[in-house]
Amino acid sequence: MDEFRNRVRVYAGVVVVILAILCIRLIQLQVVSAEAYWGASQSNAVREQRVQPARGAIYDRSGTLLVDNQPSYTIMITPRFFEDDNVPLLADLLSVPDTTVQRKLTEARDWSLFQPSRSFREVSFDTFSRVQEHLYELPGVTYEIEQRRRYHTEAHATHALGYVREIDGRALGKMRDDGYRQGDRIGKTGLESYYEKRLRGEQGSEFMLVDVRGREVKAYRDGREDRAPTSGYDLHLALDHKVQALAESLFVGKRGAAVALDPDNGEIISFVSHPDFDPGIFSRSVSGAEWDSIRTAPADPLYNRATMSGFPPGSTWKPLMSLMALQEGVITANQRVNCPPGYRVGSRVFHNHGYKDEGWINVKKALEVSCNTFYYHLMMETDVNTWSRYARMFEFGQRIPLDVADQSGGLIPDSTYFNETYGRWTAGYTVNLGIGQGDMSVTPMQLARYVAAIANGGTLHVPHFVHELQHPETGEVVQPDIPKPSTVPIDSAHFATVREGMRRVMENGTGQWVQVPGVTSGGKTGTAQNPHGEDHSLFIMFAPFDDPEIAIAVAVENAGYGGSAAAPIASLMAEQYLNGKIDLDIWQRRYWIKRLMEEVRSAPPKGFGAPPDEEESESERVLNADAAPDTVEESRSRSTRSVRLEPIAPIRSTSTTDND
């Protein structure tokens, strides 16, 4: 009997010990380690739904809203919980055939049984509301409210703003650790891409209790575990949307670019690359066919001509040549140099514009009349390495620190380049560099930065779009990280001499017909010789002359003389910026707008499209007679084609004149 009682006590003790262990473990799981095990249990009873933050808005320099967001409604299906019997109900609510719902369900199953699939995007608000009212009848059906960009002005600014699209597989593989998921939208180009982290904000989360059929029951822990999203920063740009819209309208039927800068700080006032496309198409889903039509368009609207197209600068280079010669002591400000009809180098004669003999002139007059032989002389009085060094003082031939990624540095040769390219070479290979022709190329952005430095007396600011970033919720202001400006090591008196010469261009030279009414300015026309078709039209200017507020460079491909295409575009941009409007009471301004929008066009390059019309129109004959614009060289430079700067194919120049 005693033995039986002992056994009972042993068994009872074992049971008590086991129950005690279980109780202790239960307390540990439910109380002590509740937080640690919550994440493991939530997958069975709690559904996490990501809450997208509001992407930052974008404003122009006056505070005008350029870009913000609009809601886009998406119906999602989780195949594991969706019942096939509900296909007709969902189809009726969505106003689509049953077969469409069945196809979407099959696609969702192929992707994942347990993860919600974005099956119906961009449904209308009425449709979304109908589905939402019947969610209790549709286990496995949920929704997501996404954001699409909305554009508010006539200015496209496509290559500046960029666009937002759904993240692709390659980017997702790299950025998953940053919180990106399949179906998220991301800045692909321009400022949308460069400032993606600031614009995107931080995602939030909502946790909902769900039943065994996947239907939401209520907020988990009354929402105490939810995390609110944090909005992205707003971008406040230096861009002027009115100047931008005007410039874009003046580029109708043309290929080219225009860049306007504030000479005091490098802020980008306007940034045009044409052709472009309306970024508003990304406010909705873009079909593959529609995207391919943009991507494969012959004029390549995706190509950023403002920072990627390379042009020989033509006579817009003569101010730099003047600065080099003055600083090196080749000439003085008042020294007179002969400007004959031609300049002989060996057995070849390089001719002056129109074979004119300007006589003995100083550097200011040389800029005013754009004497080629004057600048051939300056080039032959120096060497190509000195020339290259001065070009690089203005940071030609290299990429600019810029908040738009697509860029090319252009081509600025030196003796090493000529040795490697030609082996044996003579002065005939380099004399054309004195008039901005030959084996060289620059981008419109580089030209704008260069003329801004001339305007302000030698300070080379870093161009930038963003004035500041501001958080819409906290008001926090963040300044963009902009490198400090550099100083061009040229005497300020020489800059003053060159600016005076550029003022004379606008008063008595080839720029007099595009002078901004009532505003004194400085400028220089140029024509880039092009072996692939009509010449390219270039123009640089700054205004007002005494206290410059804007510096502009314009390049129009295959449009002819610098004074007839690029110059009036720049002039109208400057007037809009300085005066806030175009004075249409002045007949010349009406004439230029009409001519630019209806007559001036970029001719197709040779071998592309229809051949250019060789017969001059009546309006062109009138303009050319009045404006004394640039003339065509007798033999064209064999320099780089403008449309694609990279890779550069260096070819020896055989040009003999410059068209100014």
Side-chain angles (χ1 to χ4, degrees):
M1 190 66 179
D2 291 338
E3 183 179 353
F4 175 75
R5 290 176 178 173
N6 289 335
R7 287 180 179 178
V8 170
R9 291 191 185 101
V10 171
Y11 288 137
V14 171
V15 170
V16 169
V17 170
I18 292 173
L19 289 174
I21 292 173
L22 290 175
C23 288
I24 292 171
R25 182 58 175 162
L26 184 62
I27 292 171
Q28 182 186 21
L29 291 173
Q30 295 294 326
V31 180
V32 178
S33 302
E35 294 296 327
Y37 289 96
W38 170 76
S41 65
Q42 68 167 342
S43 60
N44 296 323
V46 178
R47 174 184 296 148
E48 179 183 4
Q49 184 166 324
R50 294 188 306 150
V51 182
Q52 298 289 346
R55 190 174 181 88
I58 303 177
Y59 298 86
D60 87 336
R61 69 186 299 116
S62 65
T64 299
L65 179 62
L66 301 177
V67 188
D68 67 352
N69 309 298
Q70 61 184 354
S72 176
Y73 304 101
T74 298
I75 303 302
M76 308 169 70
I77 297 176
T78 305
R80 171 65 179 81
F81 303 114
F82 187 81
E83 298 175 357
D84 290 346
D85 292 344
N86 286 330
V87 167
L89 173 59
L90 183 57
D92 181 60
L93 294 172
L94 293 170
S95 301
V96 298
D98 292 6
T99 54
T100 300
V101 174
Q102 191 62 57
R103 176 171 55 83
K104 292 291 187 179
L105 180 59
T106 300
E107 292 173 358
R109 284 171 175 159
D110 291 341
W111 182 65
S112 174
L113 284 175
F114 297 93
Q115 294 295 323
S117 177
R118 293 177 171 88
S119 299
F120 297 92
R121 293 178 179 269
E122 297 174 17
V123 301
S124 68
F125 179 74
D126 290 341
T127 300
F128 167 72
S129 299
R130 287 199 304 271
V131 174
Q132 194 177 34
E133 290 174 359
H134 290 268
L135 283 179
Y136 71 95
E137 300 178 73
L138 295 167
V141 175
T142 54
Y143 65 87
E144 184 174 65
I145 302 177
E146 300 177 292
Q147 299 176 57
R148 294 297 174 97
R149 291 307 239 176
R150 177 170 54 187
Y151 299 84
H152 292 270
T153 71
E154 294 180 357
H156 286 173
T158 307
H159 298 86
L161 299 176
Y163 60 88
V164 176
R165 289 196 73 188
E166 184 174 327
I167 192 169
D168 57 42
R170 179 183 300 178
L172 182 61
K174 297 178 180 178
M175 306 180 74
R176 188 178 295 274
D177 291 342
D178 295 327
Y180 289 90
R181 297 293 182 267
Q182 186 72 34
D184 285 354
R185 303 181 70 79
I186 187 173
K188 299 292 288 186
T189 62
L191 297 173
E192 294 277 17
S193 173
Y194 191 87
Y195 287 98
E196 166 67 18
K197 290 183 178 180
R198 292 286 191 178
L199 285 166
R200 184 183 184 228
E202 296 182 9
Q203 291 187 345
S205 297
E206 290 181 351
F207 297 94
M208 298 295 295
L209 286 170
V210 296
D211 60 20
V212 293
R213 303 178 72 186
R215 294 178 298 194
E216 295 180 355
V217 177
K218 65 175 183 178
Y220 179 73
R221 291 191 174 184
D222 296 324
R224 292 193 300 273
E225 301 293 338
D226 294 351
R227 180 168 54 86
T230 303
S231 299
Y233 282 80
D234 295 337
L235 300 186
H236 292 262
L237 308 185
L239 209 70
D240 186 310
H241 81 276
K242 292 183 178 179
V243 177
Q244 181 75 18
L246 172 68
E248 290 173 358
S249 71
L250 298 176
F251 265 91
V252 61
K254 306 173 189 66
R255 300 182 304 277
V259 179
L261 304 178
D262 185 332
D264 290 334
N265 51 35
E267 290 185 338
I268 299 174
I269 297 167
S270 181
F271 186 87
V272 177
S273 175
H274 204 270
D276 61 2
F277 60 91
D278 183 359
I281 66 170
F282 294 107
S283 296
R284 53 178 173 78
S285 293
V286 179
S287 67
E290 189 174 8
W291 176 244
D292 286 342
S293 70
I294 295 173
R295 186 175 54 82
T296 61
D300 201 355
L302 294 174
Y303 185 59
N304 189 343
R305 285 169 163 81
T307 57
M308 293 292 288
S309 284
F311 301 84
S315 289
T316 63
W317 196 253
K318 290 173 181 175
L320 189 148
M321 287 294 299
S322 302
L323 290 168
M324 178 193 73
L326 290 166
Q327 184 70 18
E328 289 294 305
V330 175
I331 57 171
T332 63
N334 296 315
Q335 179 180 344
R336 296 180 181 273
V337 176
N338 191 21
C339 176
Y343 188 90
R344 182 177 295 277
V345 178
S347 61
R348 292 192 59 203
V349 176
F350 294 81
H351 294 292
N352 199 15
H353 163 61
Y355 298 93
K356 289 184 178 180
D357 185 349
E358 299 288 352
W360 291 81
I361 58 176
N362 62 25
V363 66
K364 297 174 187 177
K365 186 67 175 180
L367 284 169
E368 176 188 332
V369 300
S370 199
C371 175
N372 289 340
T373 53
F374 184 97
Y375 289 98
Y376 291 139
H377 171 76
L378 297 188
M379 188 66 205
M380 298 307 294
E381 289 296 310
T382 184
D383 62 87
V384 70
N385 287 332
T386 300
W387 175 92
S388 178
R389 177 164 56 86
Y390 274 85
R392 293 182 184 278
M393 287 181 186
F394 290 89
E395 298 191 6
F396 288 109
Q398 53 192 292
R399 290 167 60 92
I400 299 171
L402 186 65
D403 40 10
V404 169
D406 293 337
Q407 255 194 93
S408 184
L411 172 62
I412 297 297
D414 56 14
S415 59
T416 300
Y417 165 86
F418 283 104
N419 289 335
E420 294 176 350
T421 304
Y422 302 114
R424 296 179 58 189
W425 55 279
T426 64
Y429 286 68
T430 62
V431 64
N432 261 355
L433 298 176
I435 61 167
Q437 299 289 168
D439 287 24
M440 67 176 302
S441 62
V442 300
T443 68
M445 172 59 81
Q446 290 172 335
L447 281 176
R449 195 181 185 205
Y450 149 69
V451 71
I454 293 175
N456 65 34
T459 300
L460 204 61
H461 291 283
V462 175
H464 55 281
F465 288 97
V466 177
H467 175 69
E468 66 181 23
L469 300 89
Q470 186 172 8
H471 200 278
E473 297 169 0
T474 66
E476 178 191 7
V477 174
V478 176
Q479 299 299 325
D481 185 14
I482 302 168
K484 293 182 178 180
S486 58
T487 300
V488 180
I490 295 177
D491 194 288
S492 60
H494 301 328
F495 277 105
T497 298
V498 168
R499 284 197 299 273
E500 174 61 21
M502 295 175 72
R503 182 187 64 80
R504 294 185 181 185
V505 170
M506 299 302 291
E507 293 183 351
N508 306 308
T510 55
Q512 62 183 299
W513 311 104
V514 295
Q515 180 76 280
V516 178
V519 178
T520 305
S521 61
K524 190 71 193 76
T525 55
T527 304
Q529 307 308 301
N530 172 32
H532 304 282
E534 292 294 319
D535 295 333
H536 306 308
S537 175
L538 292 95
F539 185 69
I540 57 174
M541 74 172 294
F542 61 89
F545 181 81
D546 292 325
D547 186 15
E549 298 177 32
I550 188 169
I552 306 174
V554 177
V556 185
E557 296 176 16
N558 309 117
Y561 311 131
S564 62
I569 291 176
S571 175
L572 291 164
M573 290 173 65
E575 182 178 4
Q576 175 65 49
Y577 181 71
L578 296 172
N579 298 339
K581 64 178 183 178
I582 305 298
D583 189 349
L584 298 178
D585 292 334
I586 300 176
W587 73 267
Q588 292 95 333
R589 309 310 272 176
R590 298 197 305 272
Y591 165 76
W592 280 121
I593 291 174
K594 184 177 187 298
R595 188 170 190 277
L596 287 169
M597 299 188 73
E598 297 181 5
E599 299 178 32
V600 178
R601 295 290 185 267
S602 290
K606 285 182 179 179
F608 176 80
D613 186 1
E614 295 181 357
E615 185 174 352
E616 192 178 43
S617 69
E618 179 62 26
S619 61
E620 286 171 325
R621 282 195 293 272
V622 171
L623 177 67
N624 294 342
D626 289 346
D630 309 344
T631 60
V632 180
E633 284 193 356
E634 292 182 306
S635 61
R636 301 185 185 278
S637 163
R638 293 165 56 192
S639 57
T640 307
R641 181 176 180 175
S642 74
V643 177
R644 291 288 189 185
L645 193 147
E646 293 182 336
I648 292 172
I651 307 173
R652 179 186 173 186
S653 168
T654 58
S655 176
T656 57
T657 66
D658 178 50
N659 309 328
D660 189 35

